[in-house]
């Protein structure tokens, strides 16, 4: 390096030092596995623009993060202790005389040298993204000087950007690219630099979109685009003809609908919401936990993301957007129910990216066309989008059956431009304590749902009087849309070109199921969920403390030895720490006794425990099913056990969205049996027989508790099956009448028996069971006069005994009595 260049470089560093002392990057991300990938290898960092200020900040961050420092001089190869730095414009040949280009030229020229070649083979190219500010820019922006990233412009503009955005800087270190791999692909070292430039150009473009979002169109401009689309114009013409409207009237109505729907995304409002939500979440939560964010970052590097989360609280979308924003990813546009569009929340959410959707589109052709095309426009512009496939919030903790309207619109939008890369992201959202818990219990017991309003918002300030633990946001394995299409329908491209879209419903059904299964595969087993599974297995919701601690250890051991999925998050700490954490958030009671303390839950706390149990019980559903067979039998034939479990698993899969391949059911059951045997909860005897532990032992208590996790589920299955066999039997009856009878019976059972589990009041669960019976051909269904009718296959009478065997003869007798009572009014009146 010439002396005058080195002097100028040092002078710039000296002059900029006071300014850089004020810079505090708020987000620094290092991809998981980066340190391991570059350990002991030469490193070359690449910045997306030529800027000494960016390089100075990079040097500071490298030192803070413990990454290889920039010490290599231009024109020399980096080694394990001296990293090099290049700029993307250099690689693209945009700065032909730049010293950085000499570095790459030197690398290429010296590949023939043995020492240089050895270093080049190991050299890792690490892309570094650096953004000053969070504004994506707009096509009509006049304030980009201070709010933008400042990647173009002179030294003065860069100085102004640094001052304005000194506390709003994002740095992201991506996984490295092996330079020798590029050389091997091109067969010529000179071409490797060109390939590297193209690869990095695409990466930086996607990374910028992921962090800042695409360039924004104004809300009026988007509405104009929507109203000019052919499908909307056709719907307007039809609506005009049907309603006898003038041109001005139909345009006004269409514009009003578009205005009702459209978001008003404002990056400045995101900063305001960030400050507000940071304060609110600090007040009510002990910390927000994000899981698998590195995988999400990798997906965002090359695909447009569509988030499809579980829905358990109004806080879900706030937590997801807030979490993404704090991790350097642009928050999505969110499909929100029109019930949330009330003052002052509606406008704030709209400026934060919410667009509003009516509960039903039935009979509203013009609104349907406007909404579909609005969604198509924002997806086509590259905005990330979020919608809740369940439609509404779960009142029981279980995932609800997915609604497929929004998903179908999304799939059709991407089929219109199949070259686009998109990924659907399942998101599991869980809570240590649910803000809406009390209202959910009331609604399930028949209370009217309270509509959202400004008055309700004021009442919500009561949440600041309580602590709600830690919410968890876990990002599941993304579903690549094009790869999923190819799996479900390998010929989809040729069919699409021929105008055949008959494959779309099958694809939508597959994605909807896959998404829900991947949500549950990313579940977070928090302390309250684990303790609830154990404590509720006790008939009186009370358990000796030492027994509860032992069961915590055994349940965690079960999940560690044979995880439900690679993405499931288990609670940290000892059994004592897990119990203490659960007791704080759930309000568990500890009763001292001379034989040892007893842990119990009563009242509303006991009801809410079922919610937290239901949100995670799927992870132990298969071992719970196995354990249930030993509730009334000391010994069970293993082959018969595997066969029976494999026949019952489809019902649990459908309700709990289990990650289970029905074709491999027996193999899955066998692996869980092996796990139970290894932990001493079952024992293999001679002649293929399994036996349970001796009564009174700790292992017996654990096995019994494990089998009780799904007790209410099996009771619902049993009562429904017995009722169907009893009436309608083999006589076709309206499905709506049967559903009402089943639900009334379940609610009656819950009341007279003192059961407080919310699932007895959830209509969706009974409907799902009926659908599964139909899919398994145990029920038949047809339509008469437009109304579905159902009747039993004779096999259902035999099959229902499988459920009865899991509960015992006493339960069967009590349920048979309950089933017959609705037909005897005098008996019911005499109670």
């Amino acid at each position: 390096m010439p002396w005058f260049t080195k002097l100028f470089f040092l002078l710039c560093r000296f002059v900029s030092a006071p300014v850089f002392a004020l810079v505090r990057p708020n987000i620094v991300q290092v991809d998981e596995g980066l340190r391991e990938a570059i350990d002991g290898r030469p490193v070359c960092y690449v910045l997306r623009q030529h800027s000494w200020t960016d390089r100075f900040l990079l040097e500071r961050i490298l030192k803070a993060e413990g990454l290889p420092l920039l010490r290599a001089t231009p024109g020399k190869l980096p080694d394990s202790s001296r990293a090099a730095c290049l700029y993307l414009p250099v690689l693209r040949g945009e700065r032909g005389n730049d010293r950085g280009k000499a570095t790459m030229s030197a690398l290429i020229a010296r590949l023939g040298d043995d020492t240089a070649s050895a270093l080049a083979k190991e050299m890792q190219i690490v892309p570094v993204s650096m953004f000053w500010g969070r504004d994506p820019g707009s096509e009509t922006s006049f304030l980009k000087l201070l709010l933008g990233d400042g990647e173009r412009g002179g030294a003065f503009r860069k100085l102004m950007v640094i001052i304005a955005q000194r506390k709003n800087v994002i740095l992201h270190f991506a996984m490295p690219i092996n330079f020798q791999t590029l050389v091997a692909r091109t067969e010529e070292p000179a071409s490797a630099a060109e390939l590297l430039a193209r690869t990095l150009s695409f990466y930086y473009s996607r990374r910028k979109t992921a962090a800042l979002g695409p360039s924004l169109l104004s809300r009026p401009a988007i509405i104009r685009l929507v109203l000019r689309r052919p499908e909307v114009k056709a719907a307007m013409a039809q609506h005009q003809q049907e309603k006898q409207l003038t041109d001005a009237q139909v345009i006004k109505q269409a514009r009003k609908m578009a205005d009702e729907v459209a978001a008003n995304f404002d990056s400045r409002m995101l900063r305001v919401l960030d400050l507000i939500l940071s304060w609110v979440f600090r007040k009510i939560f002990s910390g927000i936990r994000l899981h698998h964010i590195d995988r999400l970052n990798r997906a965002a590097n090359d695909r447009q993301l569509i988030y499809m989360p579980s829905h358990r609280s109004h806080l879900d979308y706030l937590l997801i957007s807030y979490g993404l924003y704090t991790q350097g990813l642009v928050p999505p546009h969110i499909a929100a129910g029109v019930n949330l569009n009330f003052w002052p929340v509606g406008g704030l959410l709209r400026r934060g990216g919410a667009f509003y959707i009516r509960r039903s589109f039935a009979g509203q052709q013009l609104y349907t066309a406007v909404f579909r095309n609005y969604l198509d426009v924002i997806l086509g512009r590259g905005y990330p989008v979020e919608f809740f496939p369940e439609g509404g919030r779960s009142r029981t903790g279980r995932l609800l059956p997915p609604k497929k309207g929004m998903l179908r619109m999304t799939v059709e939008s991407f089929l219109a431009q199949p070259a686009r890369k998109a990924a659907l992201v399942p998101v599991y959202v869980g809570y240590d304590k649910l803000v809406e818990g009390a209202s959910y219990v009331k609604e399930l017991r028949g209370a009217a749902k309270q509509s959202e309003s400004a008055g309700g918002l004021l009442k919500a300030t009561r949440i600041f009087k309580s602590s709600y633990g830690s919410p968890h946001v876990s990002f599941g394995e993304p579903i690549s849309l094009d790869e999923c299409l190819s799996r479900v329908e390998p010929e989809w491209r040729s069919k699409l070109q021929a105008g055949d879209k008959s494959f779309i419903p099958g694809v939508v059904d597959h994605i909807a199921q896959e998404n829900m299964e991947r949500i549950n595969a990313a579940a977070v087993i928090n302390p309250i969920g684990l303790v609830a599974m154990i404590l509720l297995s006790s008939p009186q919701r009370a358990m000796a403390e030492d027994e509860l601690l032992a069961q915590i250890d055994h349940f965690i051991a079960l999940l560690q030895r044979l995880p439900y999925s690679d993405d499931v998050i288990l609670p940290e700490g000892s059994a004592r720490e897990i119990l203490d954490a659960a007791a704080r958030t759930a309000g568990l009671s500890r009763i001292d006794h001379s034989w040892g303390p007893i842990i119990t839950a009563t009242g509303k706390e006991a009801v809410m425990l079922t919610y937290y149990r239901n949100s995670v019980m799927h992870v132990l559903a298969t071992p719970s099913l196995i354990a249930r067979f030993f509730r009334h039998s000391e010994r069970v034939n293993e082959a018969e056990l595997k066969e029976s479990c494999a026949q019952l698993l489809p019902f649990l899969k459908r309700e709990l969205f289990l990650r289970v391949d029905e074709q491999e059911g027996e193999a899955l059951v066998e692996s869980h049996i092996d796990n139970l045997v290894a932990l001493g909860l079952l024992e293999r005897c001679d002649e293929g027989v399994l036996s349970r532990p001796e009564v009174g032992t700790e292992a017996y208590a654990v096995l019994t508790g494990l089998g009780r996790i799904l007790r209410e589920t099996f009771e619902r299955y049993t009562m429904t099956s017995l009722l169907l066999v009893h009436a309608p039997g083999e006589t076709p009856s309206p499905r709506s009448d049967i559903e009402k009878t089943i639900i009334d019976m379940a609610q009656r059972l819950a009341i007279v028996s003192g059961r407080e589990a919310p699932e007895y009041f959830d209509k969706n669960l009974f409907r799902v069971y009926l659908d599964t019976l139909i899919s398994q051909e145990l029920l038949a269904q047809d339509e008469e006069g437009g109304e579905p009718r159902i009747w039993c296959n004779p096999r259902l009478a035999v099959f229902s005994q499988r459920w009865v065997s899991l509960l015992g003869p006493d339960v069967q007798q009590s349920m048979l009595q309950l089933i017959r009572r609705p037909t005897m009014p005098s008996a019911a009146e005499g109670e």
Side-chain angles (χ1 to χ4, degrees), residues 575-794:
R576 167 62 63 185
E577 291 170 333
I578 291 171
L579 177 57
D580 290 345
R584 285 194 300 270
T585 54
L588 302 180
S589 300
R590 187 174 187 271
I591 302 173
D592 291 326
H593 190 272
S594 58
W595 290 4
I598 297 173
I599 307 298
T600 183
T602 58
K604 293 181 180 178
E605 288 77 14
V607 177
M608 284 312 301
L609 281 182
T610 65
Y611 191 99
Y612 305 125
R613 177 201 62 188
N614 291 347
S615 65
V616 298
M617 65 191 297
H618 62 278
V619 301
L620 287 172
T622 303
S624 178
L625 174 61
I626 295 169
R628 193 70 198 180
F629 280 87
F630 293 87
R631 181 72 180 90
H632 304 286
S633 302
E634 295 182 13
R635 297 160 65 89
V636 177
N637 181 276
E638 184 171 354
E640 294 177 1
L641 175 62
K642 289 190 288 187
E643 180 184 358
S644 296
C645 288
Q647 290 179 350
L648 300 179
L649 272 177
F651 295 89
L652 296 177
K653 174 183 173 68
R654 185 94 175 235
E655 178 175 318
L656 301 178
F657 296 100
L658 299 184
R659 203 89 170 108
V660 172
D661 186 344
E662 294 183 24
Q663 305 302 318
E664 300 178 2
E666 290 196 24
L668 175 68
V669 172
E670 183 176 4
S671 64
H672 281 284
I673 290 174
D674 292 341
N675 196 28
L676 292 168
V677 170
L679 290 171
L681 301 181
L682 288 178
E683 182 180 347
R684 280 195 170 96
C685 306
D686 296 334
E687 300 177 356
V689 173
L690 291 165
S691 67
R692 69 189 184 191
E694 292 186 13
V695 176
T697 63
E698 181 181 283
Y700 175 82
V702 173
L703 186 70
T704 301
L706 185 63
R708 284 176 175 163
I709 291 175
L710 295 176
R711 180 182 57 191
E712 286 93 352
T713 300
F714 296 145
E715 285 182 354
R716 282 190 292 102
Y717 291 170
T718 302
M719 76 172 80
T720 303
S721 299
L722 292 176
L723 181 94
L724 289 167
V725 171
H726 178 70
E730 297 181 41
T731 303
S733 298
R735 175 165 175 163
S736 58
D737 292 348
I738 297 299
E739 286 183 2
K740 185 179 185 307
T741 302
I742 292 172
I743 293 166
D744 288 345
M745 182 183 69
Q747 293 177 355
R748 184 180 181 86
L749 173 64
I751 293 170
V752 299
S753 64
R755 288 171 172 80
E756 297 176 311
E759 52 259 42
Y760 286 102
F761 300 86
D762 189 349
K763 300 175 183 179
N764 285 304
L765 296 177
F766 294 97
R767 290 168 182 160
V768 168
Y769 182 63
L770 292 179
D771 290 338
T772 311
L773 288 173
I774 292 170
S775 69
Q776 297 293 312
E777 299 182 351
L778 295 169
L779 276 184
Q781 177 172 295
D782 67 3
E783 287 194 12
E784 183 179 82
E787 183 176 10
R789 302 185 309 166
I790 57 176
W791 65 94
C792 295
N793 185 307

Side-chain angles (χ1 to χ4, degrees), residues 222 226 261-263 333 355 369-378:
I222 290 180
V226 171
V261 171
H333 282 51
F355 60 97
V370 168
F371 183 86
R372 287 172 62 96
N373 282 272
Y374 173 78
L375 180 63
D376 195 42
V377 166
I378 62 174

Side-chain angles (χ1 to χ4, degrees), residues 193-207:
E194 297 177 5
L195 177 59
L196 177 62
R198 292 195 300 272
T199 302
L200 292 178
S201 294
F202 176 78
Y203 165 78
Y204 286 124
S205 175
R206 282 300 314 160
R207 192 67 219 171

Side-chain angles (χ1 to χ4, degrees), residues 227-297:
L227 297 182
R228 286 202 298 261
R229 295 180 70 114
E231 185 181 346
V232 176
K233 286 186 175 181
M236 288 169 63
Q238 182 179 352
H239 186 73
Q240 181 179 9
Q241 183 178 4
E242 291 175 354
K243 303 295 183 181
Q244 298 296 307
L245 303 176
T246 65
D247 289 348
Q249 287 173 326
V250 73
I251 291 173
K252 182 178 180 181
Q253 289 189 15
R255 189 176 297 279
K256 183 178 180 181
M257 292 176 182
D259 191 65
E260 174 189 314
V261 171
N264 189 22
F265 193 85
D266 187 339
S267 58
R268 292 166 296 182
M269 178 54 67
L270 292 182
R271 180 58 179 158
V272 174
L273 290 173
D274 175 38
L275 296 174
I276 295 173
L277 292 178
S278 294
W279 180 81
V280 171
F281 291 157
R282 281 198 304 270
K283 289 288 185 180
I284 65 176
F285 295 134
S286 58
I288 299 171
R289 310 291 177 84
L290 303 178
H291 306 278
H292 309 303
I293 194 70
D294 289 315
R295 178 169 59 199
L296 187 67
N297 267 306

Side-chain angles (χ1 to χ4, degrees), residues 15-270:
V15 171
S16 63
V19 177
F20 270 91
L22 303 174
V23 176
R24 296 288 185 271
N26 58 330
I27 300 175
V28 177
Q29 298 173 318
V30 180
D31 268 9
E32 185 180 6
L34 174 63
R35 289 181 173 85
E36 182 179 349
I38 64 176
D39 184 30
R41 298 178 176 88
V43 177
C44 180
Y45 300 103
V46 181
L47 293 167
R48 70 188 179 103
Q49 56 183 332
H50 189 276
S51 169
W52 279 6
T53 55
D54 286 3
R55 178 186 169 115
F56 295 157
L57 180 59
L58 175 62
E59 290 177 350
R60 199 175 93 189
I61 299 303
L62 291 175
K63 186 174 182 180
E65 293 292 325
L67 293 169
L69 302 179
L70 295 179
R71 294 176 181 171
T73 56
K76 292 189 177 181
L77 288 166
D79 57 34
S80 58
S81 62
R82 297 178 298 177
C85 181
L86 283 176
Y87 307 100
L88 180 60
V90 173
L91 296 174
R92 290 196 301 216
E94 296 174 10
R95 300 175 66 91
N97 297 322
D98 196 278
R99 287 175 300 278
K101 192 170 184 179
T103 302
M104 183 55 69
S105 299
L107 292 175
I108 296 169
R110 297 179 59 193
L111 282 175
D113 178 81
D114 291 340
T115 303
S117 180
L119 288 172
K121 287 180 180 178
E122 292 294 320
M123 188 173 68
Q124 306 296 307
I125 309 293
V126 179
V128 181
S129 305
M130 190 178 301
F131 303 104
W132 297 80
R134 302 294 294 269
D135 180 34
S138 69
E139 296 166 4
T140 58
S141 173
F142 293 101
L143 298 177
K144 199 172 180 181
L145 170 65
L146 296 182
L147 297 177
D149 184 49
E151 61 184 275
R152 295 182 178 87
F156 176 74
R157 177 177 176 179
K158 185 69 175 185
L159 177 63
M160 296 300 294
V161 168
I162 291 173
I163 294 173
Q165 304 291 353
R166 63 187 182 278
K167 294 183 179 180
N168 195 20
V169 185
I170 303 173
L171 280 90
H172 180 264
F173 294 84
M175 287 295 289
I177 301 169
N178 187 283
F179 182 69
Q180 185 60 27
T181 301
L182 295 176
V183 174
R185 287 177 57 188
T186 59
E187 298 182 356
E188 292 184 12
S191 301
E194 297 177 5
L195 177 59
L196 177 62
R198 292 195 300 272
T199 302
L200 292 178
S201 294
F202 176 78
Y203 165 78
Y204 286 124
S205 175
R206 282 300 314 160
R207 192 67 219 171
K208 183 177 180 181
T209 300
L212 309 183
S215 296
L216 293 174
L217 279 179
S218 67
R219 186 166 182 263
I222 290 180
I223 290 176
R224 286 195 298 271
L225 277 176
V226 171
L227 297 182
R228 286 202 298 261
R229 295 180 70 114
E231 185 181 346
V232 176
K233 286 186 175 181
M236 288 169 63
Q238 182 179 352
H239 186 73
Q240 181 179 9
Q241 183 178 4
E242 291 175 354
K243 303 295 183 181
Q244 298 296 307
L245 303 176
T246 65
D247 289 348
Q249 287 173 326
V250 73
I251 291 173
K252 182 178 180 181
Q253 289 189 15
R255 189 176 297 279
K256 183 178 180 181
M257 292 176 182
D259 191 65
E260 174 189 314
V261 171
N264 189 22
F265 193 85
D266 187 339
S267 58
R268 292 166 296 182
M269 178 54 67
L270 292 182

